[in-house]
């Protein structure tokens, strides 16, 4: 079996995988019919790939053979027609190799942000108690109304803290996606 990295290194094979992925996740894939030239959802015929890639049928077939040998596609024969479908499990090896590179920036950013939810909650609780005590002394409003107000303010502050952390995580994931070209990109 060929090394998965060398298999996906070829741009034509990446295009084929992209078309298979589009067919797999796309809603425009035709449903199974009695017509043998129409592929069921998630599958694409060799002739459809040839027309999408603007390559000769023998060239497409050779690339499909490499992908099939690597376990990245499955084939279903129906008469003289062959229908291919994506088999993504071999790509887990690539994902396992990429994760440490993608998570390195995430770990550094989390260390820099040093988000400590427990400490933040303790601080907000203490601040709410101080505000509650100060407000009760100043105007004599019942304590239950004050605690609801302080709790609401503390919850709002915590919400902003969590939203900030989520925004930082989203920015890190967007940066990782920008750095690593997606296998699902197609040229059509």
């Amino acid at each position: 079996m060929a090394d998965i990295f060398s298999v996906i290194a070829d741009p034509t094979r990446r295009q084929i995988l992209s078309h298979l992925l589009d067919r797999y996740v796309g809603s425009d894939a035709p449903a199974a019919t009695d017509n043998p030239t129409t592929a069921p959802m998630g599958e694409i015929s060799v002739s459809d790939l040839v027309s999408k890639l603007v390559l000769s049928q023998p060239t497409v077939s050779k690339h499909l053979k490499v992908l099939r040998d690597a376990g990245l596609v499955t084939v279903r024969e129906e008469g003289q027609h062959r229908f291919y479908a994506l088999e993504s499990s071999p790509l887990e090896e690539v994902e396992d190799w990429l994760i440490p590179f993608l998570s390195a920036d995430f770990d550094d950013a989390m260390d820099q942000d040093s988000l400590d939810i427990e400490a933040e909650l303790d601080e907000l609780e203490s601040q709410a108690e101080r505000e509650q005590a100060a407000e009760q002394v100043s105007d004599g409003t019942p304590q239950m109304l004050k605690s609801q107000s302080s709790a609401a303010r503390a919850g709002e502050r915590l919400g902003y803290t969590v939203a900030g952390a989520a925004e930082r995580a989203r920015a890190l994931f967007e940066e990782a996606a920008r750095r690593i070209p997606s296998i699902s990109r197609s040229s059509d």
Side-chain angles (χ1 to χ4, degrees):
M1 183 196 295
D3 175 51
I4 190 74
F5 294 95
S6 63
V7 171
I8 64 172
D10 185 274
T12 302
R13 289 193 283 267
R14 289 196 308 268
Q15 277 187 308
I16 291 171
L17 289 171
S18 293
H19 287 298
L20 288 166
L21 178 63
D22 290 345
R23 184 58 63 108
Y24 181 75
V25 298
S27 61
D28 61 329
T33 64
D34 292 332
N35 183 350
T37 61
T38 304
M41 188 131 143
E43 293 182 344
I44 191 167
S45 69
V46 175
S47 59
D48 284 345
L49 280 171
V50 167
S51 66
K52 288 178 181 284
L53 297 169
V54 193
L55 295 171
S56 70
Q57 187 273 328
T59 301
V60 173
S61 291
K62 286 178 186 177
H63 285 291
L64 286 167
K65 180 178 181 347
V66 172
L67 292 169
R68 192 174 60 240
D69 290 346
L72 286 166
V73 297
T74 59
V75 64
R76 180 179 61 84
E77 295 181 21
E78 191 171 300
Q80 293 180 340
H81 302 281
R82 290 189 176 31
F83 297 96
Y84 285 84
L86 179 66
E87 177 57 53
S88 62
S89 59
L91 291 171
E92 291 174 6
E93 181 180 350
V94 176
E95 180 185 36
D96 291 344
W97 183 82
L98 281 173
I99 294 290
F101 294 96
L102 298 176
S103 64
D105 286 344
F106 183 76
D107 292 342
D108 289 344
M110 289 307 289
D111 289 344
Q112 290 171 355
D113 292 338
S114 64
L115 181 63
D116 185 357
I117 296 290
E118 290 298 322
E120 188 72 25
L121 283 171
D122 290 343
E123 174 59 32
L124 289 173
E125 184 180 2
S126 297
Q127 187 174 359
E129 289 172 358
R130 288 191 301 272
E131 288 175 3
Q132 180 183 6
E135 288 174 1
Q136 188 173 8
V137 169
S138 66
D139 67 3
T141 303
Q143 182 177 357
M144 183 170 177
L145 291 177
K146 294 295 184 182
S147 67
Q148 289 173 345
S149 169
S150 296
R153 285 192 301 271
E156 185 177 353
R157 279 188 229 107
L158 180 60
Y160 285 126
T161 301
V162 170
E167 184 60 35
R168 287 188 298 274
R170 186 178 305 110
L172 288 169
F173 286 122
E174 287 172 359
E175 176 66 15
R178 186 186 63 75
R179 288 183 185 182
I180 306 297
S182 174
I183 194 165
S184 66
R185 269 192 210 140
S186 67
S187 63
D188 55 10

